[in-house]
Amino acid sequence: ELACQRDSFQTTLDGTKLLAYAIFEEAMQTTKKKKGGKNKKKNGIGSESGIAGPQVVLALSDSILYPEGGGQPFDTGQIVIKSPSSTESIELSVAEVSGMNQVCLLTCPLPANDQERIVEALQSDDTVVDQVLDWDRRFDLMTQHSAQHLISAVALSEPFGYNTHSFSLSTKSDISYVDLMVETDVNTNSHRENALRIEEIVNENIRLNLPMTPRYMDEEDLIKAKESGEVRSRLLPEGITGRIRLVEIGVGNEMVDQNTCGGTHVQSLGQLQMIKFFKLDRVKSNILRVYFAAGKRLMNIMNVAYKREDELTNLFSSTETEIVGRVEAMVDDRREKEREIQKLNEKLCAFQAKEIAEMLNANDGVAAIDLGDSDMHFKTTLANAVTERTGGVLGGLLLMVGGSESGEEGSFLLVGDEALVEKTGKIVAAALEGRGGGRGGKFQGKGNNIRKGLKEARRIMLEAKA
């Protein structure tokens, strides 16, 4: 048991014994076996946090920093390496914490200009390490982790009966999720109604401020408790033997959950403040993903939402209840304008198609045209109009390019005889310094030299047609 598991609210730990250390010039690579027996490269120690360059990995006798595991991301913080026989100390940032064979490993970026002094300090027999926890990150992660425990417990209870398949406590977004296993023959709306009720119940438990406490159980007793349904438990990590750690929510007749877990948690549910479900997704026929947030993350989301709503009401000169209607009206107006533009483009294409058809007839069925500031949709519409104009069959080669009139970058569309297009497509793309693909008499892509390369592209097309 680590210090972080004994007391999730302890923020410092002094005098930790250094068991071993290793220095690496860059993040290690490990190999993970994929389904089907194939190997997949995976980043190893020091890679999850994006550490670049030299790093030192310390194995300590105890740790206040939680190593990633059980679905909870690792803690970060600071360490001070010092020796009782020296007045000098070295401070390093802890960027990643992992576990290996029940030993805690701290990974720290290693200053390139200070390696010798650090190595000398680490080699001393009486070296100890003081640890300081990044409390904001810890409290945030254990708040979401505790919220997940509560959601999973209530979701499993009667009358819902939803087992938790998996969960994710995001470190890149304020929103995490729980995947619940649901019956495939029940429609999603019924599950949505259940989710709303689960949300109500978890917040009722928060208002009761039920305690959340760790305790230990012998392996044999745990097996019996799991069989009786008294304890929730997913697969235990390999190598875990002896007394197993559980986290309980509630006490006595108000016991809500008992679940095997080695992670850090709040002391009571009141510290979660509130849990809110944001979105429900049927990611698989039997998996319902529930997106949620609790505590400070929920406050952040509410602040951003209120600020956005305030900006929109000012922008539209409307009240909060009028915003959606104003936006819908604006979207409808835009769609109507786009339909009008499309009709005008079709008329323009019909007019241009006549000129292009005449150009093809006058130039052995080959034409290369710069359409100015045009998108691929316009080029496709024009190509269809030309094909219709030529009796439904475009036997030669027609190349159309277009993009910003002030530059050389843009898109291109080559259409015509299927065999000729297949033969010249990649060569024409190269002349335009671009790439593309297609089939069935069409080849489209983007180029970096669409105008200067147009003459060479036309030469290639004439040569292929001849």
Side-chain angles (χ1 to χ4, degrees):
E1 184 184 35
L2 299 172
C4 56
Q5 296 170 311
R6 293 192 294 271
D7 183 359
S8 297
F9 281 72
Q10 186 179 344
T11 58
T12 61
L13 182 64
D14 295 339
T16 313
K17 184 179 179 181
L18 176 64
L19 302 178
Y21 75 91
I23 293 177
F24 301 94
E25 291 304 317
E26 58 185 19
M28 292 190 297
Q29 295 284 325
T30 60
T31 301
K32 183 179 180 181
K33 208 77 169 176
K34 289 179 66 178
K35 289 182 178 180
K38 295 182 179 180
N39 290 334
K40 177 185 178 183
K41 287 285 187 180
K42 181 186 177 186
N43 290 333
I45 294 173
S47 59
E48 294 298 320
S49 55
I51 300 175
Q55 57 192 258
V56 60
V57 180
L58 308 177
L60 303 180
S61 61
D62 200 357
S63 176
I64 198 172
L65 306 175
Y66 181 75
E68 182 167 12
Q72 181 172 329
F74 56 80
D75 287 332
T76 58
Q78 303 286 324
I79 60 170
V80 179
I81 302 171
K82 58 186 183 181
S83 170
S85 61
S86 173
T87 58
E88 191 176 21
S89 61
I90 299 169
E91 293 187 13
L92 294 175
S93 296
V94 180
E96 184 177 329
V97 186
S98 56
M100 184 177 293
N101 298 326
Q102 301 187 47
V103 174
C104 200
L105 305 177
L106 277 58
T107 302
C108 309
L110 193 59
N113 60 352
D114 211 13
Q115 288 191 30
E116 288 187 15
R117 188 170 70 96
I118 294 172
V119 170
E120 184 178 348
L122 293 173
Q123 288 177 338
S124 176
D125 292 336
D126 57 357
T127 293
V128 293
V129 178
D130 294 346
Q131 304 172 41
V132 180
L133 174 70
D134 179 345
W135 171 249
D136 288 341
R137 177 182 169 94
R138 155 69 68 77
F139 189 69
D140 169 59
L141 291 173
M142 73 180 185
T143 297
Q144 309 313 310
H145 194 181
S146 299
Q148 176 269 312
H149 270 238
L150 180 57
I151 294 168
S152 293
V154 174
L156 183 60
S157 67
E158 294 294 337
F160 311 112
Y162 297 144
N163 273 299
T164 293
H165 176 268
S166 59
F167 64 90
S168 173
L169 308 178
S170 176
T171 57
K172 298 179 180 179
S173 165
D174 281 332
I175 298 180
S176 302
Y177 67 78
V178 179
D179 283 343
L180 302 177
M181 300 178 67
V182 299
E183 295 178 11
T184 57
D185 58 348
V186 178
N187 66 58
T188 302
N189 288 334
S190 295
H191 295 309
R192 290 183 188 280
E193 292 174 5
N194 286 342
L196 290 174
R197 181 57 186 143
I198 291 170
E199 183 185 61
E200 290 178 1
I201 295 173
V202 298
N203 283 293
E204 288 171 5
N205 284 319
I206 290 173
R207 288 190 289 274
L208 291 174
N209 197 27
L210 298 175
M212 196 164 188
T213 52
R215 75 178 178 95
Y216 288 82
M217 182 177 286
D218 291 332
E219 190 173 0
E220 184 177 334
D221 293 336
L222 175 62
I223 294 172
K224 294 178 181 177
K226 285 171 61 178
E227 290 174 351
S228 67
E230 178 186 352
V231 171
R232 285 193 307 118
S233 179
R234 300 172 68 198
L235 293 174
L236 295 175
E238 292 183 10
I240 298 297
T241 57
R243 289 167 61 79
I244 308 299
R245 187 174 186 264
L246 291 85
V247 175
E248 297 180 336
I249 301 176
V251 62
N253 294 331
E254 292 185 325
M255 184 67 71
V256 175
D257 189 38
Q258 298 179 82
N259 184 37
T260 54
C261 181
T264 59
H265 290 279
V266 298
Q267 295 167 329
S268 61
L269 295 186
Q271 291 166 340
L272 302 182
Q273 297 178 295
M274 181 180 178
I275 294 175
K276 177 63 184 170
F277 293 173
F278 291 98
K279 186 172 67 169
L280 305 176
D281 275 346
R282 197 76 175 260
V283 294
K284 291 184 179 180
S285 61
N286 66 330
I287 299 293
L288 183 70
R289 179 164 294 174
V290 181
Y291 295 88
F292 73 93
K296 190 175 180 179
R297 290 194 185 190
L298 182 53
M299 295 288 288
N300 293 340
I301 293 168
M302 291 173 65
N303 287 337
V304 170
Y306 181 80
K307 183 175 183 294
R308 184 185 298 117
E309 183 180 75
D310 187 52
E311 290 173 350
L312 287 171
T313 55
N314 290 331
L315 185 65
F316 286 97
S317 299
S318 64
T319 64
E320 293 85 347
T321 56
E322 295 172 334
I323 291 175
V324 174
R326 295 284 181 91
V327 172
E328 287 176 342
M330 184 178 69
V331 171
D332 289 342
D333 183 61
R334 179 177 177 178
R335 286 173 177 166
E336 180 60 32
K337 285 183 170 60
E338 288 175 347
R339 282 192 288 267
E340 292 176 2
I341 291 172
Q342 177 62 21
K343 289 179 181 178
L344 291 173
N345 278 337
E346 289 173 357
K347 291 181 179 180
L348 177 60
C349 286
F351 177 78
Q352 285 186 292
K354 180 182 178 182
E355 293 183 344
I356 294 173
E358 293 172 353
M359 188 184 303
L360 287 167
N361 288 331
N363 293 278
D364 298 325
V366 173
I369 305 167
D370 182 355
L371 296 176
D373 190 1
S374 61
D375 59 16
M376 186 58 70
H377 179 73
F378 181 80
K379 294 181 183 69
T380 302
T381 303
L382 181 55
N384 292 336
V386 173
T387 302
E388 185 178 344
R389 188 84 187 183
T390 56
V393 178
L394 188 58
L397 285 170
L398 169 61
L399 173 64
M400 295 176 285
V401 302
S404 174
E405 294 185 358
S406 61
E408 283 291 325
E409 293 184 0
S411 59
F412 66 86
L413 175 63
L414 177 66
V415 296
D417 178 80
E418 186 171 342
L420 289 174
V421 171
E422 184 176 354
K423 178 181 178 181
T424 60
K426 291 183 180 180
I427 306 173
V428 167
L432 303 176
E433 295 183 10
R435 300 176 64 182
R439 60 182 180 179
K442 290 185 179 181
F443 189 98
Q444 66 184 56
K446 292 183 178 180
N448 297 318
N449 199 21
I450 60 170
R451 293 189 170 91
K452 291 181 180 179
L454 196 58
K455 184 177 180 181
E456 174 62 14
R458 186 176 183 278
R459 185 195 66 77
I460 293 168
M461 293 158 60
L462 283 169
E463 187 178 289
K465 183 68 166 58

